[in-house]
Amino acid sequence: MEELARSIYEGLLRHTSLHYLKTMTNSKYIQDFCKLLQCNTISNGGDFATFHKVLREVFPLVHARLQKVDLSLVAGERDYTNVLLFKWEGANHDKPLVLMAHQDVVPVDEAHWDYPPFDATVVDDKVYARGAIDCKNTLFCTMMAVEELLANGELPPQDVYLSYSPNEEISGTGTQIVRDYFVSSGITPFLVVDEGGALMKADGEFIKKDLLMVGATEKGYADVKFIAKGDGGHASKPPYNTPIARIAKFVNYCENHHVFKPRCTKIARQMLYKMGDAFPFGLKLVSKTIGLTGGLVASIASGKLAGRKGAMIFKTTMAFTTTGGGKVSNAIPDEAYVTANIRFLQGDTSEKCFAKLTKLASKFDLEMQVIKFREASPVVDVNGEGYKLFESVAKQVYPQAVIAPFLMFAGTDCRHLQPIAKHAIRCTPILMTFSQLDAMHGNNENLTYTALDKCIEFFKNLIQANK
Ligand SMILES: [Zn+2]
């Protein structure tokens, strides 16, 4: 009987106005989402005024009922004009929730796109546009969650802030201005949620179940330059150990040795153990015994035989990125250089790593210059109140998913608010495939737009659950 009822209901969905209504629900979001995607908000030179006009049209209640925080007093010399910070006052004020995203997007190489990157072309269930997954999806879902709660006449149990920087992709000061506002106003966010991990769709190979990757920390970052100096001279009389030769030996040494030792950190263990529930049998076995075998797994996965594929999880990595030296082909340069991009593992401080590198560089008669750096961020307590709240809401909305903490290799603006917040999480719980994730910052960035519904539901539930 139940079968019959279900098939009749499904038949109705397919063939009658109920189906029409269902399609309308999705198309309501996709039309509005496209309006955001159609604005070019490339960090430098994007049209943020038009973007803000579109936001006012799509989210009228957010703009009418929330306080747009005046940042002029804390900005100082910094440009705050396009930074958006909204405050929705709740019934209580002791556990402020901050939902973050960024408005800007990275530039596009239009020749390599199948569709114009700012047209927001819908093909089947996907929308193709720059910003579709990084991260106008986050901005859209957080704002729509508030818009819909307002339309329902809801009052949040706690204060809610929406914080949207216009310059995250160029390491701009947008979120630092927001941080200064919180500090000067004596506000301690209880939980900050920013972009980061996502809900990865089971692909049947690497993961057997949908996997929600909850960003619990991010690696540190440094750009370092190594310089070799010499006397130059004519190429017909080459001396031994020229600047370029020393640079080459140094790069070769780093390529073949672990300059920074691999190890299995606590967060790597927690991440792999939990992820094991989504992995196929062999990988699951490795994950579930990681407590005993962590050190061994770290060194194998970071080694040459494994193509260093696991190095990003288990060690501070160093990649050589730019190099230069001579200007003409018949003269030995008196200087050559190589730059390295370093990602610090949790527990490896910049001080410790730079000391090691300076010593190593001097063995090859190289000087070292630090161009810029930031430390690895602290790790969120996965048994703490903030993580548990996020996890419990995610479980309600995505009961089928395995939920695991995640060590992020890339940077987010969350690092600016984490030091002043009790808990900070880097995750937008929206369904995407690995190939969609690969298109981030690349060509043909796209999102399966039906995934917006659940993500909006998640943020609505999170706001209501934060009591
Ligand atoms: Zn982003």
Side-chain angles (χ1 to χ4, degrees), residues 367-379:
E367 290 170 20
M368 189 181 103
Q369 272 175 16
V370 176
I371 300 166
K372 62 176 176 180
F373 77 99
R374 61 171 187 260
E375 305 292 345
S377 69
V379 183

Side-chain angles (χ1 to χ4, degrees), residues 11-26:
L12 277 171
L13 275 182
R14 270 197 302 277
H15 298 296
T16 69
S17 58
L18 272 174
H19 177 236
Y20 177 65
L21 276 177
K22 194 168 170 249
T23 320
M24 282 300 287
T25 312
N26 290 332

Side-chain angles (χ1 to χ4, degrees), residues 113-372:
W113 279 64
D114 294 338
Y115 313 98
F118 293 106
D119 273 12
T121 307
V122 175
V123 181
D124 300 327
D125 57 352
K126 295 186 179 65
V127 56
Y128 289 82
R130 172 59 85 224
I133 59 166
D134 183 17
C135 70
K136 284 181 181 161
N137 54 342
T138 312
L139 189 146
F140 182 83
C141 291
T142 49
M143 249 191 182
M144 188 55 86
V146 173
E147 184 77 12
E148 289 188 352
L149 289 172
L150 284 167
N152 273 346
E154 306 266 350
L155 177 74
Q158 294 283 347
D159 293 345
V160 177
Y161 291 88
L162 300 176
S163 171
Y164 306 130
S165 163
N167 46 30
E168 190 266 358
E169 296 288 7
I170 50 169
S171 301
T173 55
T175 304
Q176 294 171 35
I177 296 171
V178 170
R179 176 201 58 204
D180 293 350
Y181 166 77
F182 284 139
V183 171
S184 71
S185 312
I187 296 162
T188 302
F190 165 70
L191 175 62
V192 174
V193 181
D194 195 9
E195 60 165 341
L199 176 64
M200 302 316 300
K201 192 173 162 62
D203 62 357
E205 278 179 48
F206 178 60
I207 51 171
K208 297 279 186 192
K209 293 179 182 172
D210 292 349
L211 174 62
L212 181 63
M213 299 167 79
V214 183
T217 184
E218 65 188 62
K219 290 179 88 173
Y221 182 107
D223 286 327
V224 177
K225 189 172 184 180
F226 298 95
I227 305 149
K229 290 181 177 164
D231 295 329
H234 199 278
S236 62
K237 297 179 286 178
Y240 179 69
N241 232 7
T242 62
I244 289 179
R246 273 147 46 214
I247 291 282
K249 283 180 203 169
F250 173 69
V251 171
N252 188 45
Y253 178 89
C254 295
E255 178 75 8
N256 287 294
H257 295 79
H258 285 303
V259 176
F260 305 106
K261 274 218 173 90
R263 60 196 160 81
C264 193
T265 56
K266 185 177 167 194
I267 183 65
R269 272 204 306 276
Q270 289 169 327
M271 166 174 116
L272 291 168
Y273 185 82
K274 285 268 187 183
M275 280 183 178
D277 293 332
F279 288 159
F281 180 73
L283 210 49
K284 182 175 186 164
L285 202 65
V286 175
S287 307
K288 290 297 180 188
T289 52
I290 196 77
L292 295 170
T293 58
L296 185 66
V297 171
S299 80
I300 292 172
S302 309
K304 279 194 266 183
L305 272 180
R308 303 252 156 90
K309 284 206 176 87
M312 58 195 182
I313 298 172
F314 297 115
K315 61 178 281 196
T316 293
T317 56
M318 179 160 72
F320 293 103
T321 48
T322 71
T323 182
K327 304 272 187 294
V328 292
S329 63
N330 62 355
I332 292 158
D334 41 42
E335 196 172 303
Y337 75 89
V338 65
T339 59
N341 180 258
I342 297 166
R343 304 293 171 120
F344 302 120
L345 188 67
Q346 278 55 31
D348 287 359
T349 61
S350 62
E351 195 187 353
K352 207 165 82 179
C353 293
F354 291 154
K356 194 165 198 176
L357 282 175
T358 308
K359 207 168 149 193
L360 181 64
S362 72
K363 282 188 186 162
F364 293 85
D365 197 13
L366 308 181
E367 290 170 20
M368 189 181 103
Q369 272 175 16
V370 176
I371 300 166
K372 62 176 176 180

